[in-house]
Amino acid sequence: MTTAQRMRLANCHDCGLLSRLPGGHGHCPRCGAALHFRKPASLAKTWAYLIAAIILYIPANTLPMMITGSIVGTQADTILSGVVYLWTSGEWPLAALVFFASIMVPLLKMIAILLLLITCQRRSRWQPQQRIKLYRLVEFVGRWSMLDIYVVTILAALVQVQSLASIAAGPAAVAFAIVVVLTMLSAMSFDPRLIWDPIDEEQEASGENHDTSH
Amino acid sequence: MPTDSATEAVELIACHECDQLQRLHYPPRARVVRCCRCGAEVYRYHPDALNRTLALTVASLLLFIVANAFPIVAIDMQGNVLSTSMFGAVAHLWTTHVPIVAVLVALTTLIVPSLTLLLLIYLLGLMQLGRRPPGAAELLRLLHLSRPWGMIEVYLLGILVSVVKLMAYAAVIPGVSLWALVLLIPLMAAMLGSIHTDLIWRRLEQLK
């Protein structure tokens, strides 16, 4: 098994061309993008975005997401109380959808990135196949957390009846939107090749060398 | 390293997820080539990919214009009929006190999708005419960078959730834009799936 890095070859992140990179730094001959073997400072950036996201996840869940005003008075709903309200009013499939997209997805995503970061930092060789699947899942599922933001956007724009009813986005919407952006940036700055590097180094040390082809 | 696309060649390719170096017969016999170690998609091939992308992009753009020109939904609340469009919803967020959220919603539902569609029409359209589009490298990089931030399918789900929530209080009238979005989502997904950056680059190199 040989990796591109060991052969001093690097994939262009933008156009996908494989080219020689003897010094470790250079530019892609085809599209001109900066070339490197691994994303620079990948772990540090991923940690930074993740920690910021974890901190903002607290106000995103404790502050009101949606403020509903009506003749009876105003009511402030957090994400969770909105889900509970949907559940008690009989809309349980919708409650499950919002609960999954707004609470479970961001939480599980942060836990997954944390797990990937800790295992890569410790240069763990544990379950690379499962960890790469986890990484793909994190990349795929992250965007769906925007659901609640869009719901608030549409409801706030629609429900504006003078003195009868009005809906406004609460401060949690800002925190939650930033959490979604930060977790996406965190997943993007993580370099999945770091999962495999310790395994490749071990194989290099043991002197194995298989060539593979399609 | 790529050679002329007309000839059969064996190329080296590295998996972008595990860095495994492997051989690729170009053009590949399979539509999707997977990494022999981690199973990631290392190469996707379709001989007519550029035409397919262009066709799907033009169709998506027409639907995207319709989706933006008409209201998404209207509600009838005790005689008050209220409606909103995609742009109207963002503008309302901007005027209330959450401009950061407004910027993010505008970016993910308006700016990135329209930018993607226009860039692809410009690049692939000129290439179809046999010309190398000026600024192709920068624009392709912009396309690659903006891709994760287009979230129009999540937006459609958000609209549907809002509609169900509102049905308890008011009569909900779906707008033309909603139907356009329902058609646009699968079209846009097919279009994004058909984008073939490496083939675009191979053609661009031939046009030099």
Side-chain angles (χ1 to χ4, degrees):
Chain A
M1 293 271 193
T2 308
T3 63
Q5 184 175 30
R6 206 187 301 169
M7 304 304 287
R8 313 308 282 168
L9 293 167
N11 247 350
C12 172
H13 190 65
D14 282 342
C15 79
L17 182 74
L18 189 68
S19 47
R20 267 174 233 292
L21 192 59
H25 294 283
H27 290 273
C28 174
R30 184 158 78 171
C31 77
L35 281 182
H36 20 69
F37 293 120
R38 298 290 178 265
K39 290 179 188 170
S42 167
L43 290 181
K45 280 187 197 165
T46 311
W47 271 116
Y49 288 129
L50 180 70
I51 291 166
I54 291 171
I55 293 169
L56 275 166
Y57 188 68
I58 299 162
N61 278 284
T62 50
L63 293 178
M65 182 80 174
M66 195 162 77
I67 299 154
T68 319
S70 66
I71 327 165
V72 218
T74 57
Q75 192 195 342
D77 271 312
T78 61
I79 298 175
L80 195 61
S81 73
V83 172
V84 170
Y85 178 75
L86 278 175
W87 187 274
T88 51
S89 58
E91 304 280 5
W92 62 267
L94 208 62
L97 180 72
V98 175
F99 178 73
F100 191 75
S102 306
I103 296 172
M104 290 306 281
V105 167
L107 194 65
L108 289 177
K109 193 175 166 179
M110 289 189 292
I111 294 171
I113 297 175
L114 195 67
L115 182 81
L116 290 173
L117 274 175
I118 291 171
T119 50
C120 285
Q121 198 118 44
R122 293 170 58 95
R123 309 194 60 76
S124 162
R125 292 187 299 270
W126 171 73
Q127 295 283 358
Q129 296 282 2
Q130 301 304 317
R131 281 190 288 147
I132 199 90
K133 276 183 193 150
L134 188 67
Y135 165 75
R136 282 177 207 147
L137 187 71
V138 163
E139 273 217 310
F140 169 75
V141 93
R143 52 209 283 108
W144 292 94
S145 313
M146 279 294 281
L147 184 69
D148 233 28
I149 299 284
Y150 293 142
V151 172
V152 172
T153 304
I154 294 152
L155 290 182
L158 265 181
V159 187
Q160 295 300 322
V161 193
Q162 280 293 307
S163 74
L164 263 179
S166 70
I167 291 176
V174 179
F176 194 77
I178 300 172
V179 169
V180 177
V181 172
L182 285 172
T183 51
M184 280 182 69
L185 288 173
S186 180
M188 280 177 209
S189 36
F190 181 76
D191 194 331
R193 290 170 293 196
L194 296 176
I195 295 175
W196 297 91
D197 279 347
I199 296 151
D200 292 329
E201 275 159 30
E202 188 194 42
Q203 272 175 352
E204 194 173 15
S206 69
E208 256 183 274
N209 208 337
H210 296 297
D211 215 344
T212 46
S213 72
H214 274 290
Chain B
M1 273 143 261
T3 51
D4 197 295
S5 59
T7 55
E8 277 239 20
V10 177
E11 296 176 2
L12 272 181
I13 192 167
C15 173
H16 57 98
E17 283 187 8
C18 75
D19 216 28
Q20 175 70 48
L21 205 59
Q22 43 212 301
R23 289 195 197 98
L24 173 80
H25 294 271
Y26 193 89
R29 284 163 208 118
R31 288 282 155 86
V32 175
V33 181
R34 294 197 174 277
C35 171
C36 59
R37 176 162 72 165
C38 77
E41 189 183 301
V42 286
Y43 206 83
R44 180 185 280 268
Y45 180 79
H46 190 282
D48 202 25
L50 303 194
N51 281 330
R52 273 159 58 112
T53 310
L54 185 58
L56 289 166
T57 309
V58 172
S60 303
L61 184 68
L62 293 175
L63 278 172
F64 190 70
I65 292 169
V66 175
N68 274 286
F70 294 94
I72 317 169
V73 274
I75 53 167
D76 186 343
M77 221 179 202
Q78 300 172 356
N80 296 297
V81 178
L82 302 144
S83 71
T84 189
S85 62
M86 283 171 77
F87 183 75
V90 172
H92 181 267
L93 268 190
W94 180 264
T95 54
T96 55
H97 31 267
V98 277
I100 303 172
V101 184
V103 168
L104 187 63
V105 174
L107 192 76
T108 52
T109 63
L110 299 171
I111 300 168
V112 169
S114 52
L115 191 74
T116 308
L117 294 170
L118 293 175
L119 280 182
L120 280 171
I121 288 184
Y122 166 73
L123 291 169
L124 297 175
L126 274 186
M127 285 166 70
Q128 190 80 339
L129 299 171
R131 288 174 52 197
R132 190 189 156 90
E138 289 75 18
L139 295 177
L140 277 168
R141 195 166 305 144
L142 185 64
L143 201 67
H144 181 79
L145 200 73
S146 67
R147 207 163 152 176
W149 301 100
M151 303 185 188
I152 203 136
E153 69 279 16
V154 186
Y155 192 56
L156 177 66
L157 192 66
I159 295 171
L160 297 178
V161 171
S162 322
V163 165
V164 178
K165 274 191 167 184
L166 283 167
M167 282 199 300
Y169 312 100
V172 182
I173 311 141
V176 175
S177 168
L178 185 60
W179 302 119
L181 276 177
V182 169
L183 293 173
L184 178 63
I185 303 319
L187 213 57
M188 201 77 171
M191 185 275 280
L192 289 173
S194 76
I195 298 179
H196 190 329
T197 322
D198 189 59
L199 194 61
I200 295 178
W201 273 106
R202 283 171 201 254
R203 288 284 157 79
L204 278 173
E205 294 213 304
Q206 288 168 355
L207 290 172
K208 231 173 219 172

